[in-house]
Amino acid sequence: MNDALDLIDEWGPEKVVVVSDRRTGMRGVLVIDNTARGVGKGGTRMAPTVTATEVSRLARNMTWKWAAVDLFYGGAKAGIAADPTAPDKEAVLRAFARALHNEVPREYVFGLDMGLTEDDAAIIQDELGDRGAAVGTPAHLGGVAYDRLGVTGFGVAEAADAGAALIGLPLSGARIAIQGYGAVGRAAAERFTALGATIVAVSTARGAVHDPAGLDVAALGRAHDEYGDAFVSRIGKALATGTELFVDCDVLVPAAVQDVIDEAAARMIKPKLVVEGANLPTSAQAQEVLAGRGVTVVPDFVANAGGVIAAAFAMDARYSGFRADTDQVFATISERLRANAGTVLEEAARAGGTPHQAGRRLAEQRVRAAMRSKGRLPG
């Protein structure tokens, strides 16, 4: 328990719930970080290596993400320590949902993160008998299908375009390297291409592929559909995963997992602009190094907030008989992420420090104001 208590600071978490199930072997955790601005909302991930500390960091990131886009939900995250490819996935997922019936949906609403699919969100709704228990369900169940629509990757490219304009880098013709070619990286690549950029490198857990002259994004998509992560070896000579971080490029998009750019890597990468498609991909030390080198960074809680904006629409539609308007979802993502990227980068230039620090100041002001109004701060 000492480890869980050590997670607490002035912002949260308000609640850490660790659950298990003897029959299925399910082990999981829910972290509700800060609900001053609304009910806890964040994705649920499934991976064998999930830890309470990891989920707590991600829950805190959700607190800042909701506040940064000025939407009225609170930071939360859940994680299940299990293999998402195992044949007993559904049984484990149902056991996890049952174990959290006291918290869901009054204090937390399930969403999608690494290892979970739209059908998994539907299973959670089914297990708890409540359409409001989860968002991210398939479109045929009235959900906003984040992965199929590619909302997060779309937003990453929109934020990148706004950030590039501020530093005088035309995105049309710019060379983009993307780490990760899952739902976020692939959708980002497609939107970057539509904006006139050239994708020079992509990667998966199975390797990376690089072509300085540019990759055929449509062909990448077809190969990915056919071969999954192994597609990188089908369209060229696969390089080691991580190579894509250090290729010559104008814009680097880490869109895979957290903690991939440390201080040493920050001294070696070559882009003018880093746009964080993944959660927590850079360390604080790396952010300082990049700022010192003149590399602009659009923080994760700004750049990849397309998913939370779509989730806000899905939250509104949970109990409705009408679908969320997809065109409105995309228009709102573009408008808010472009504006937020500009605000954060301009504030960093005005006040000094890194864009992460500037964005955090803005988010903290909004959360603190809500905490003060609700009497949650010391007198």
Side-chain angles (χ1 to χ4, degrees), residues 214-309:
L215 297 164
D216 183 335
V217 171
L220 293 181
R222 291 191 297 270
H224 187 251
D225 288 340
E226 185 171 358
Y227 301 110
D229 282 356
F231 83 93
V232 291
S233 62
R234 299 280 182 161
I235 61 174
K237 181 181 179 182
L239 307 173
T241 298
T243 305
E244 70 284 351
L245 293 174
F246 304 105
V247 303
D248 281 322
C249 62
D250 301 304
V251 181
L252 174 63
V253 181
V257 294
Q258 65 263 32
D259 300 323
V260 294
I261 300 178
D262 58 13
E263 187 174 354
R267 298 185 187 281
M268 296 170 59
I269 63 175
K270 302 178 176 68
K272 303 178 181 69
L273 178 67
V274 174
V275 184
E276 297 186 332
N279 291 318
L280 308 171
T282 58
S283 69
Q285 295 79 9
Q287 293 157 18
E288 294 281 359
V289 170
L290 292 170
R293 293 182 56 205
V295 178
T296 300
V297 180
V298 182
D300 52 353
F301 53 83
V302 173
N304 69 19
V308 303
I309 293 172

Side-chain angles (χ1 to χ4, degrees), residues 14 32-42 62 66 71-76 103-110 132 315 318 374 376:
E14 297 169 1
I32 299 174
D33 184 59
N34 189 299
T35 60
R37 287 172 57 90
V39 65
K41 177 70 195 78
M62 289 302 302
W66 285 118
L71 293 170
F72 293 96
Y73 295 103
E103 287 74 26
V104 179
R106 188 171 64 87
E107 298 178 70
Y108 172 69
V109 176
F110 284 101
M315 289 287 285
R318 282 182 300 159
K374 292 184 174 181
R376 296 187 181 187

